[in-house]
Short mmCIF file of all heavy atoms in Angstrom, two decimals:
data_model
loop_
_atom_site.label_atom_id
_atom_site.label_comp_id
_atom_site.label_asym_id
_atom_site.label_seq_id
_atom_site.Cartn_x
_atom_site.Cartn_y
_atom_site.Cartn_z
N PRO A 603 182.73 75.52 24.03
CA PRO A 603 182.96 76.77 23.34
C PRO A 603 184.37 77.28 23.45
O PRO A 603 184.82 78.11 22.61
CB PRO A 603 181.97 77.74 24.07
CG PRO A 603 181.69 77.07 25.35
CD PRO A 603 181.75 75.60 25.08
N ALA A 604 185.13 76.81 24.43
CA ALA A 604 186.53 77.29 24.58
C ALA A 604 187.54 76.46 23.78
O ALA A 604 188.72 76.75 23.79
CB ALA A 604 186.90 77.34 26.05
N ALA A 605 187.02 75.38 23.12
CA ALA A 605 187.98 74.44 22.53
C ALA A 605 188.34 74.81 21.11
O ALA A 605 189.21 74.18 20.55
CB ALA A 605 187.34 73.05 22.54
N GLY A 606 187.72 75.81 20.52
CA GLY A 606 188.04 76.18 19.18
C GLY A 606 186.98 75.76 18.18
O GLY A 606 185.97 75.15 18.54
N LEU A 607 187.22 75.99 16.88
CA LEU A 607 186.24 75.71 15.82
C LEU A 607 186.82 74.78 14.77
O LEU A 607 186.38 74.79 13.62
CB LEU A 607 185.83 76.98 15.19
CG LEU A 607 185.01 77.92 16.03
CD1 LEU A 607 184.87 79.29 15.35
CD2 LEU A 607 183.64 77.37 16.30
N GLU A 608 187.79 73.89 15.17
CA GLU A 608 188.37 73.05 14.17
C GLU A 608 187.40 72.07 13.56
O GLU A 608 187.67 71.49 12.47
CB GLU A 608 189.54 72.26 14.78
CG GLU A 608 190.74 73.17 15.20
CD GLU A 608 190.61 73.66 16.63
OE1 GLU A 608 189.46 73.74 17.10
OE2 GLU A 608 191.62 73.89 17.27
N TRP A 609 186.25 71.79 14.24
CA TRP A 609 185.40 70.71 13.77
C TRP A 609 184.14 71.21 13.08
O TRP A 609 183.20 70.43 12.90
CB TRP A 609 185.02 69.85 15.01
CG TRP A 609 186.17 69.58 15.88
CD1 TRP A 609 187.05 68.57 15.79
CD2 TRP A 609 186.55 70.33 16.98
NE1 TRP A 609 187.98 68.61 16.79
CE2 TRP A 609 187.73 69.76 17.53
CE3 TRP A 609 186.12 71.54 17.61
CZ2 TRP A 609 188.44 70.20 18.62
CZ3 TRP A 609 186.80 72.07 18.68
CH2 TRP A 609 187.93 71.39 19.20
N VAL A 610 184.05 72.42 12.69
CA VAL A 610 182.74 73.00 12.41
C VAL A 610 182.06 72.33 11.17
O VAL A 610 180.85 72.29 11.12
CB VAL A 610 182.83 74.53 12.15
CG1 VAL A 610 183.18 75.21 13.43
CG2 VAL A 610 183.84 74.87 11.08
N ASP A 611 182.77 71.83 10.21
CA ASP A 611 182.15 71.37 8.96
C ASP A 611 182.00 69.89 8.85
O ASP A 611 181.31 69.43 7.91
CB ASP A 611 182.91 71.94 7.79
CG ASP A 611 182.75 73.42 7.65
OD1 ASP A 611 181.66 73.99 7.99
OD2 ASP A 611 183.70 74.11 7.23
N GLY A 612 182.57 69.06 9.66
CA GLY A 612 182.49 67.63 9.49
C GLY A 612 181.86 66.96 10.64
O GLY A 612 180.81 66.32 10.49
N GLU A 613 182.39 67.03 11.81
CA GLU A 613 181.84 66.35 12.97
C GLU A 613 180.67 67.08 13.52
O GLU A 613 180.52 68.27 13.34
CB GLU A 613 182.94 66.22 14.06
CG GLU A 613 184.19 65.51 13.56
CD GLU A 613 185.31 65.68 14.54
OE1 GLU A 613 185.10 65.94 15.71
OE2 GLU A 613 186.52 65.61 14.10
N PHE A 614 179.77 66.36 14.20
CA PHE A 614 178.65 67.00 14.84
C PHE A 614 178.17 66.14 16.00
O PHE A 614 178.54 64.98 16.11
CB PHE A 614 177.48 67.24 13.89
CG PHE A 614 176.84 65.99 13.32
CD1 PHE A 614 175.77 65.40 13.95
CD2 PHE A 614 177.33 65.42 12.13
CE1 PHE A 614 175.12 64.27 13.43
CE2 PHE A 614 176.70 64.27 11.61
CZ PHE A 614 175.61 63.69 12.25
N LEU A 615 177.41 66.81 16.90
CA LEU A 615 176.82 66.09 18.08
C LEU A 615 175.36 65.90 17.87
O LEU A 615 174.64 66.78 17.34
CB LEU A 615 177.08 66.97 19.34
CG LEU A 615 178.48 67.11 19.84
CD1 LEU A 615 178.55 68.26 20.84
CD2 LEU A 615 179.00 65.82 20.46
N LEU A 616 174.84 64.76 18.28
CA LEU A 616 173.41 64.50 18.41
C LEU A 616 173.11 64.59 19.88
O LEU A 616 173.62 63.76 20.73
CB LEU A 616 173.03 63.16 17.84
CG LEU A 616 171.52 62.83 17.87
CD1 LEU A 616 170.76 63.72 16.95
CD2 LEU A 616 171.28 61.38 17.55
N GLY A 617 172.40 65.61 20.30
CA GLY A 617 172.25 65.90 21.77
C GLY A 617 173.59 66.30 22.34
O GLY A 617 174.49 66.75 21.59
N ARG A 618 173.77 66.17 23.61
CA ARG A 618 175.00 66.63 24.22
C ARG A 618 176.06 65.53 24.27
O ARG A 618 177.22 65.82 24.57
CB ARG A 618 174.74 67.12 25.69
CG ARG A 618 174.38 66.02 26.67
CD ARG A 618 174.23 66.53 28.10
NE ARG A 618 175.53 66.87 28.70
CZ ARG A 618 176.28 65.99 29.43
NH1 ARG A 618 175.92 64.75 29.55
NH2 ARG A 618 177.39 66.42 29.96
N ALA A 619 175.67 64.26 23.94
CA ALA A 619 176.62 63.17 24.27
C ALA A 619 177.17 62.41 23.09
O ALA A 619 178.26 61.87 23.16
CB ALA A 619 175.93 62.21 25.23
N LEU A 620 176.44 62.32 22.00
CA LEU A 620 176.83 61.46 20.85
C LEU A 620 177.58 62.29 19.83
O LEU A 620 177.03 63.27 19.31
CB LEU A 620 175.60 60.81 20.20
CG LEU A 620 175.16 59.49 20.82
CD1 LEU A 620 173.83 59.04 20.18
CD2 LEU A 620 176.21 58.41 20.66
N LEU A 621 178.80 61.93 19.48
CA LEU A 621 179.61 62.59 18.48
C LEU A 621 179.68 61.69 17.24
O LEU A 621 180.06 60.55 17.29
CB LEU A 621 181.02 62.79 19.00
CG LEU A 621 182.09 63.21 17.98
CD1 LEU A 621 181.74 64.59 17.36
CD2 LEU A 621 183.43 63.37 18.73
N LEU A 622 179.29 62.24 16.10
CA LEU A 622 179.33 61.59 14.81
C LEU A 622 180.40 62.19 13.92
O LEU A 622 180.57 63.40 13.87
CB LEU A 622 177.99 61.63 14.08
CG LEU A 622 176.81 60.85 14.71
CD1 LEU A 622 177.19 59.39 14.99
CD2 LEU A 622 176.28 61.53 15.96
N ALA A 623 181.12 61.29 13.24
CA ALA A 623 182.27 61.77 12.45
C ALA A 623 182.21 61.18 11.04
O ALA A 623 182.88 60.18 10.75
CB ALA A 623 183.59 61.45 13.10
N PRO A 624 181.36 61.73 10.13
CA PRO A 624 181.26 61.17 8.78
C PRO A 624 182.60 61.35 8.02
O PRO A 624 183.29 62.31 8.26
CB PRO A 624 180.17 62.00 8.15
CG PRO A 624 179.42 62.64 9.25
CD PRO A 624 180.42 62.85 10.38
N PRO A 625 182.91 60.40 7.15
CA PRO A 625 184.13 60.56 6.33
C PRO A 625 183.99 61.86 5.49
O PRO A 625 182.86 62.23 5.11
CB PRO A 625 184.06 59.35 5.40
CG PRO A 625 183.28 58.33 6.18
CD PRO A 625 182.26 59.12 6.94
N PRO A 626 185.09 62.57 5.21
CA PRO A 626 185.02 63.85 4.54
C PRO A 626 184.59 63.80 3.10
O PRO A 626 184.17 64.78 2.55
CB PRO A 626 186.42 64.43 4.71
CG PRO A 626 187.29 63.19 4.87
CD PRO A 626 186.46 62.17 5.58
N ASP A 627 184.74 62.59 2.42
CA ASP A 627 184.43 62.51 1.01
C ASP A 627 184.26 61.05 0.66
O ASP A 627 184.19 60.20 1.52
CB ASP A 627 185.50 63.19 0.14
CG ASP A 627 186.90 62.68 0.50
OD1 ASP A 627 187.08 61.50 0.69
OD2 ASP A 627 187.82 63.54 0.58
N GLU A 628 184.17 60.75 -0.66
CA GLU A 628 183.89 59.41 -1.09
C GLU A 628 185.09 58.44 -1.07
O GLU A 628 184.95 57.27 -1.29
CB GLU A 628 183.26 59.43 -2.48
CG GLU A 628 184.20 59.87 -3.57
CD GLU A 628 184.24 61.33 -3.82
OE1 GLU A 628 183.95 62.09 -2.82
OE2 GLU A 628 184.52 61.75 -4.94
N ARG A 629 186.28 59.04 -0.87
CA ARG A 629 187.48 58.18 -0.88
C ARG A 629 187.53 57.27 0.31
O ARG A 629 186.95 57.49 1.32
CB ARG A 629 188.73 59.05 -0.95
CG ARG A 629 188.84 59.94 -2.20
CD ARG A 629 189.98 60.85 -2.13
NE ARG A 629 189.82 61.84 -1.04
CZ ARG A 629 190.62 62.83 -0.75
NH1 ARG A 629 191.79 62.91 -1.48
NH2 ARG A 629 190.39 63.66 0.21
N ALA A 630 188.32 56.21 0.18
CA ALA A 630 188.44 55.22 1.23
C ALA A 630 189.65 55.43 2.13
O ALA A 630 190.09 54.59 2.90
CB ALA A 630 188.56 53.83 0.62
N ASP A 631 190.20 56.66 2.08
CA ASP A 631 191.41 57.00 2.84
C ASP A 631 191.06 57.13 4.28
O ASP A 631 190.03 57.73 4.65
CB ASP A 631 192.04 58.26 2.32
CG ASP A 631 192.45 58.18 0.86
OD1 ASP A 631 192.63 57.11 0.34
OD2 ASP A 631 192.51 59.27 0.23
N PRO A 632 191.96 56.72 5.19
CA PRO A 632 191.78 56.99 6.64
C PRO A 632 191.72 58.49 6.88
O PRO A 632 192.38 59.26 6.11
CB PRO A 632 192.95 56.30 7.30
CG PRO A 632 193.42 55.32 6.30
CD PRO A 632 193.15 55.89 4.98
N TYR A 633 191.00 58.92 7.90
CA TYR A 633 190.94 60.32 8.20
C TYR A 633 191.02 60.44 9.72
O TYR A 633 190.72 59.58 10.47
CB TYR A 633 189.69 61.00 7.62
CG TYR A 633 188.40 60.40 8.15
CD1 TYR A 633 187.63 61.02 9.12
CD2 TYR A 633 187.90 59.23 7.59
CE1 TYR A 633 186.39 60.54 9.56
CE2 TYR A 633 186.69 58.67 8.04
CZ TYR A 633 185.92 59.34 9.02
OH TYR A 633 184.75 58.84 9.43
N ARG A 634 191.37 61.70 10.15
CA ARG A 634 191.66 61.94 11.59
C ARG A 634 190.47 62.55 12.27
O ARG A 634 189.81 63.51 11.79
CB ARG A 634 192.86 62.80 11.78
CG ARG A 634 193.32 63.00 13.19
CD ARG A 634 194.60 63.84 13.30
NE ARG A 634 195.68 63.17 12.62
CZ ARG A 634 196.39 62.15 13.19
NH1 ARG A 634 196.13 61.78 14.41
NH2 ARG A 634 197.41 61.61 12.49
N LEU A 635 190.08 61.95 13.43
CA LEU A 635 189.08 62.54 14.32
C LEU A 635 189.78 63.33 15.39
O LEU A 635 190.66 62.74 16.12
CB LEU A 635 188.24 61.44 14.91
CG LEU A 635 187.39 61.81 16.16
CD1 LEU A 635 186.22 62.69 15.74
CD2 LEU A 635 186.85 60.59 16.89
N VAL A 636 189.56 64.61 15.46
CA VAL A 636 190.17 65.45 16.51
C VAL A 636 189.13 65.69 17.60
O VAL A 636 188.06 66.11 17.34
CB VAL A 636 190.65 66.83 15.88
CG1 VAL A 636 191.32 67.66 16.96
CG2 VAL A 636 191.60 66.53 14.75
N LEU A 637 189.49 65.44 18.83
CA LEU A 637 188.63 65.55 19.99
C LEU A 637 188.92 66.79 20.75
O LEU A 637 190.10 67.25 20.79
CB LEU A 637 188.81 64.33 20.88
CG LEU A 637 188.46 62.95 20.21
CD1 LEU A 637 188.92 61.82 21.10
CD2 LEU A 637 186.99 62.87 19.90
#
Side-chain angles (χ1 to χ4, degrees):
L607 291 169
E608 294 91 333
W609 314 274
V610 294
D611 291 325
E613 304 166 23
F614 65 91
L615 292 165
L616 182 68
R618 70 176 288 271
L620 274 174
L621 167 61
L622 291 310
D627 51 44
E628 69 272 28
R629 294 174 296 179
D631 302 335
Y633 60 102
R634 185 175 299 278
L635 166 70
V636 180
L637 299 170

